[in-house]
Amino acid sequence: MSLEDKIKELESNLQMEKMVKKSEVELNKELLERIEKHQLHIETLIKINEEYSNIIAKLRARLKELIIK
C-alpha cells in the first residue's frame, strides 16, 4: 500500500469518525430534549394528582360525616 493510499484511508476513517460523532451529538441532543419533555409531563401530572387528591380527600371526609349522622 502506497503512502498516498494510506493517507486517503486515514482521511476516510477520520471523515467517518467525524460523521459518527456528529450523529451521536445530535442523538444526545434529542435525548436531552425528550428527557426534558418527560420531566415536564411528570411535573404536570403531579400537580393534577395533587389537585384531585385534595378534592377526593374532602369528599371522603364529607361522606364519612354523612354516614356517621
Side-chain angles (χ1 to χ4, degrees), residues 6-69:
K6 188 64 176 171
I7 291 172
K8 286 180 183 177
E9 181 184 347
L10 289 171
E11 287 175 341
S12 176
N13 288 344
L14 178 61
Q15 188 63 27
M16 283 191 289
E17 286 184 26
K18 285 180 180 180
M19 290 172 60
V20 167
K21 182 176 179 178
K22 184 177 179 181
S23 175
E24 289 175 348
V25 167
E26 188 62 33
L27 179 61
N28 285 343
K29 179 184 171 197
E30 290 172 8
L31 288 173
L32 287 172
E33 289 171 358
R34 197 167 167 196
I35 289 169
E36 188 65 32
K37 181 179 176 183
H38 287 160
Q39 288 175 336
L40 179 60
H41 284 164
I42 290 168
E43 290 171 9
T44 303
L45 289 172
I46 288 171
K47 288 178 185 176
I48 292 169
N49 284 341
E50 188 66 34
E51 180 181 333
Y52 284 110
S53 293
N54 289 336
I55 292 170
I56 291 169
K58 289 177 185 177
L59 291 173
R60 285 178 69 178
R62 283 182 56 197
L63 185 59
K64 285 180 183 178
E65 288 175 12
L66 292 173
I67 292 173
I68 292 173
K69 287 183 181 178

